[in-house]
Amino acid sequence: GSEMCIRDSNMVALPAEATDIINQLTTITNEYLTQFIGGQLDIDASWGDYAAAYEAAGAAELETMINDAVATARTTYGG
């Protein structure tokens, strides 16, 4: 369907757009962590760039989608 399940029980479902955001955030994190660990980037000097890229990719929107999905599940299934 058009939703992604983040639990096997299908109780919490996210909109399809969440998958794109998750993939972008994963790519950004992998790229920065690889460079931090490998010494190509200084963590202190580049952390702001990493955080900015993460936010620009939709981190806040994803958080809202997750919070909304959890609220819907709680309303629907109790808890």
Side-chain angles (χ1 to χ4, degrees):
S2 65
E3 297 181 337
M4 180 186 88
C5 178
I6 61 171
R7 291 182 39 162
D8 290 338
S9 64
N10 290 326
M11 292 178 73
V12 177
L14 295 172
E17 300 88 357
T19 301
D20 294 334
I21 295 172
I22 290 168
N23 289 338
Q24 289 176 24
L25 296 177
T26 300
T27 298
I28 290 166
T29 298
N30 289 342
E31 288 174 358
Y32 273 88
L33 287 181
T34 299
Q35 293 180 58
F36 289 149
I37 292 167
Q40 292 89 4
L41 289 177
D42 178 75
I43 293 173
D44 293 326
S46 300
W47 189 262
D49 294 337
Y50 166 61
Y54 202 83
E55 285 299 321
E61 291 84 358
L62 179 62
E63 182 179 5
T64 298
M65 289 177 196
I66 291 170
N67 289 337
D68 290 348
V70 169
T72 298
R74 285 184 176 152
T75 299
T76 304
Y77 302 106

